[in-house]
Amino acid sequence: MESTLIPYPPMINHISMYDHAKAVGERLLGGSNVQLTTSSMGAEDFSFFSQKIPAAMFYIGVGSETMGQVHSVHSPYFFANEKSLPIGAALHAAVAIEYLDKNLKIGPLNEEKAI
């Protein structure tokens, strides 16, 4: 085990990845269902990835005021509304698929085809 703590770098969204994820989310879920969250000073493991490749972090809403599920993920009272999980999976898949389609220049949105 290391005796020296490794400081977490800041998690900063890459602007083109942020714009991409936001646009995909708005098309998939509707613009009113995509909201900008406030900045946070919390540590995030994902920040190590974002130093190596362009990245953007986004959240899916898993709370429900009507069900009394409004606690943060680090609370012992946190309980995820599992009805939101298929939507989150679809959003993550759509962000990845559309990114690959646009950047690999192959697939149904492009004229070139994979060999």
Side-chain angles (χ1 to χ4, degrees), residues 18-101:
Y18 165 81
D19 289 341
H20 169 71
K22 183 175 183 281
V24 171
E26 288 173 343
R27 281 193 304 278
L28 185 66
L29 307 170
S32 64
N33 293 313
V34 176
Q35 303 167 6
L36 183 63
T37 188
T38 57
S39 297
S40 168
M41 291 296 291
E44 179 52 56
D45 293 345
F46 192 68
S47 64
F48 289 102
F49 294 110
S50 72
Q51 287 190 318
K52 302 291 183 186
I53 60 171
M57 185 170 185
F58 54 91
Y59 304 98
I60 60 169
V62 295
S64 171
E65 289 183 18
T66 59
M67 297 175 72
Q69 300 165 346
V70 294
H71 302 284
S72 81
V73 295
H74 297 290
S75 166
Y77 304 105
F78 172 75
F79 182 80
N81 179 355
E82 293 181 359
K83 291 180 180 179
S84 63
L85 297 181
I87 296 167
L91 176 60
H92 279 83
V95 167
I97 290 167
E98 191 168 315
Y99 178 84
L100 292 172
D101 189 53

